[in-house]
Amino acid sequence: MARKSKLEQERQHKRNMRKRGIQRLQKLAEQDREEGIFWKPDAQYAERVYNALNRTIFKGSLSRPKIVIRDYKENFWGECEGMYVSGKPVCKVIRMHRWIPNSKTFIREMAHEMVHQWEFEKGPYHRMTHGKRTFYSWKPECARWGINLT
């Protein structure tokens, strides 16, 4: 009998811990809205986002560069680093900030950097800009998928 009650106590303890965990998550979600606590993506999530955006917006035309998640200065969410390899423009790395306000912002910023990648690798001028003819020409396609390209 003692074993059964000990087992039941362990189960009850696990249920209580789950409840406390859910309550903590709810509090964090409320703090996120109130205090601006940021969301932290990981490299695996970043790769999934990149692959999904490449398939939907860019029709699979981009080759995935190395994606790095790290800390940056404030108001700096990401960057695309391109270079010429054997005379060919190639995006070698996309760097994204470790702390992002939410997943929607992360997706928008990844799309932004991927447009820069397209500009450099596939665009007519092979340089990264915020011009109407190259960068903002992607705005309607991004908007079609619910992404506000800025």
Side-chain angles (χ1 to χ4, degrees):
M1 283 293 196
R3 282 186 178 181
K4 209 173 201 182
S5 67
K6 184 159 177 96
L7 182 62
E8 188 56 41
Q9 286 175 352
E10 287 176 15
R11 287 181 181 160
Q12 184 63 40
H13 178 71
K14 285 182 181 179
R15 282 193 293 267
N16 290 340
M17 292 303 287
R18 241 182 268 130
K19 282 181 185 177
R20 282 189 222 140
I22 291 168
Q23 290 169 347
R24 284 186 196 132
L25 287 173
Q26 288 171 341
K27 285 181 182 178
L28 284 173
E30 290 168 9
Q31 288 175 351
D32 183 33
R33 286 192 296 276
E34 293 174 7
E35 300 172 17
I37 293 174
F38 283 21
W39 175 71
K40 188 177 177 182
D42 62 12
Q44 185 179 15
Y45 178 80
E47 288 177 4
R48 286 196 315 259
V49 168
Y50 182 95
N51 292 339
L53 292 173
N54 192 22
R55 278 192 308 271
T56 55
I57 295 173
F58 299 95
K59 311 295 186 256
S61 67
L62 301 176
S63 56
R64 189 173 73 211
K66 181 178 180 181
I67 299 173
V68 177
I69 308 290
R70 57 177 281 201
D71 290 326
Y72 283 102
K73 299 176 266 183
E74 285 184 45
N75 299 329
F76 188 83
W77 298 122
E79 71 176 338
C80 175
E81 180 183 320
M83 60 182 61
Y84 286 89
V85 176
S86 301
K88 183 180 173 188
V90 177
C91 174
K92 289 301 239 180
V93 64
I94 289 179
R95 293 183 188 90
M96 300 294 290
H97 200 292
R98 182 177 309 279
W99 299 100
I100 299 279
N102 52 50
S103 59
K104 191 169 185 169
T105 301
F106 183 84
I107 292 167
R108 184 187 71 221
E109 294 305 318
M110 180 65 81
H112 178 108
E113 299 310 326
M114 290 174 72
V115 170
H116 284 312
Q117 179 185 1
W118 179 88
E119 284 182 306
F120 189 66
E121 292 181 352
K122 313 277 185 200
Y125 310 115
H126 298 295
R127 64 176 198 221
M128 297 176 213
T129 68
H130 287 105
K132 292 179 195 174
R133 291 187 179 173
T134 57
F135 186 84
Y136 284 108
S137 68
W138 286 97
K139 193 165 183 143
E141 184 65 21
C142 289
R144 188 172 149 229
W145 295 97
I147 298 168
N148 182 22
L149 188 62
T150 55

